Amino acid sequence: MWFKNLKIYRLTDPSVFDSEQLDASLARRAFKADNGLEMQSIGWISPRENGALSYTVNRQILLTVRAARKLLPATVVNQAAKARAQEIEEQEGYKPGRKQMKEIKERVTDELLPRALTVYRDTRVWIDPVNRWLVIDTASDSKADEVIGLLVKTIDPLPIENLYVAQSPAAAMTGWLAADEPPPNFTIDQDTELRASGESRAVVRYLKHSIDCDDARRHIQSGKQCTRLAMTWADRVSFVLTESLDIKRVAPLDVLEENNEDVMQNDDEKFDSDMTLMTGELAKMLAGVVEALRGEKSL
């Protein structure tokens, strides 16, 4: 249930995510079963496989995007087109030109597409109208752009904007390391990356290893900045903060999982409980991260 990676956006008008209006908009862009003729397709699917395209618990909304892509390597198309061109040459007595070869490749592609394997990829979206967050569960910029592109086609105009903070994450993380003092309610964990900003772009990484404060200061004095830092919020959620304000490797700590497993629940109740726990904890964690970066900045 827990999102692993967070691409974070701000909602400017949460009212457009009213459930009835949202469901109608999602239905117009629902994922359609493969007809065999498209190389790629994308649309909304039910987060809970119950037919509804949105799932809401305590005003927190969960969506799921499905992207489908045909596996049809160019080498396969080229080989089939070459064989077809050879048949034409033997039958007609001439070698197909560039324009005709292009047409042959297009016909071969259309013939092979229905038999090509399809790979599906699902990406989840969490919408928090209460605290005005929209979060995509991905570490990839291209996948986030894919989801935002579908959202733009689904809801027009889409009321979101990038999250801007008063202090850059790189400057803040560098300061925390240099002072050996994390912001209130946070601790620094064993994953750090420091990068030089000059031509060398030298990088120092500490993986599963605590960085000594004296080492950190030496690297910082030599011109490096912290671009990646593992942290824990309130002894409840661990994560890695990056210089681009992405949050990666999110994981609830044992205290949360143990408390949530104490109550006997069926599958639906457990899903609702997990979603309530995740959205509640992450909303507070995101507010803490923004506060640690000296608050939001309006452009």
Side-chain angles (χ1 to χ4, degrees):
M1 176 68 235
W2 278 76
F3 281 27
K4 302 299 183 186
N5 301 284
L6 311 181
K7 289 282 187 181
I8 310 162
Y9 304 87
R10 263 303 189 196
L11 294 180
T12 56
D13 181 11
S15 66
V16 303
F17 294 100
D18 171 81
S19 58
E20 291 186 8
Q21 179 182 348
L22 177 61
D23 286 342
S25 299
L26 295 171
R28 289 190 286 269
R29 293 285 175 179
F31 184 83
K32 296 178 181 178
D34 176 34
N35 60 12
L37 299 178
E38 295 181 349
M39 184 66 76
Q40 299 184 73
S41 57
I42 189 171
W44 302 104
I45 65 170
S46 172
R48 289 288 286 141
E49 298 182 357
N50 61 359
L53 294 176
S54 67
Y55 192 83
T56 303
V57 178
N58 293 334
R59 298 181 65 191
Q60 303 299 305
I61 303 168
L62 185 66
L63 309 178
T64 303
V65 177
R66 173 161 290 175
R69 181 172 60 88
K70 291 282 191 179
L71 295 181
L72 187 57
T75 52
V76 174
V77 174
N78 291 336
Q79 288 173 1
K82 185 177 179 180
R84 189 72 55 83
Q86 190 171 349
E87 291 175 4
I88 292 174
E89 184 175 0
E90 291 172 354
Q91 294 171 3
E92 306 294 337
Y94 68 91
K95 188 174 183 178
R98 181 178 299 176
K99 182 179 179 181
Q100 191 175 3
M101 278 301 301
K102 181 181 178 182
E103 294 172 351
I104 291 171
K105 285 186 179 181
E106 290 173 351
R107 285 199 300 271
V108 166
T109 299
D110 290 341
E111 293 168 7
L112 292 176
L113 268 178
R115 290 179 282 162
L117 294 175
T118 303
V119 175
Y120 298 97
R121 184 184 70 251
D122 294 346
T123 305
R124 297 178 300 171
V125 182
W126 161 39
I127 299 169
D128 179 357
V130 179
N131 300 291
R132 298 191 303 108
W133 298 116
L134 187 145
V135 179
I136 302 173
D137 184 8
T138 183
S140 164
D141 289 336
S142 62
K143 290 177 184 175
D145 290 343
E146 184 179 69
V147 172
I148 294 298
L150 180 60
L151 279 166
V152 167
K153 294 176 182 177
T154 302
I155 300 171
D156 185 22
L158 180 65
I160 69 167
E161 61 186 14
N162 291 325
L163 174 63
Y164 298 101
V165 288
Q167 185 178 29
S168 76
M173 293 187 292
T174 302
W176 300 336
L177 285 178
D180 191 23
E181 185 176 347
N185 220 24
F186 289 87
T187 56
I188 294 174
D189 298 336
Q190 296 181 332
D191 190 340
T192 310
E193 177 182 278
L194 296 113
R195 184 184 299 270
S197 58
E199 294 182 2
S200 69
R201 300 295 291 172
V203 178
V204 176
R205 293 188 180 96
Y206 293 79
L207 301 177
K208 297 183 179 180
H209 191 285
S210 299
I211 181 171
D212 180 79
C213 61
D214 291 333
D215 285 343
R217 292 190 188 103
R218 279 195 295 270
H219 288 302
I220 292 167
Q221 289 169 0
S222 71
K224 295 183 181 70
Q225 276 200 320
C226 183
T227 55
R228 179 185 177 100
L229 187 64
M231 307 182 74
T232 292
W233 168 77
D235 294 327
R236 298 169 77 81
V237 182
S238 67
F239 63 94
V240 173
L241 179 64
T242 73
E243 62 181 330
S244 57
L245 198 47
D246 288 338
I247 295 180
K248 301 183 177 182
R249 286 172 35 194
V250 177
L253 299 189
D254 292 342
V255 62
L256 288 179
E257 295 183 336
E258 289 170 1
N259 291 342
N260 203 37
E261 289 173 357
D262 287 342
V263 181
M264 296 295 293
Q265 301 167 315
N266 61 36
D267 288 346
D268 289 338
E269 290 172 339
K270 187 170 190 323
F271 189 91
D272 288 358
S273 177
D274 287 345
M275 183 170 165
T276 299
L277 179 66
M278 180 194 79
T279 55
E281 295 295 327
L282 291 187
K284 289 183 284 188
M285 186 194 81
L286 291 177
V289 170
V290 170
E291 183 179 357
L293 297 173
R294 299 183 183 174
E296 290 187 62
K297 179 178 68 175
S298 57
L299 298 183

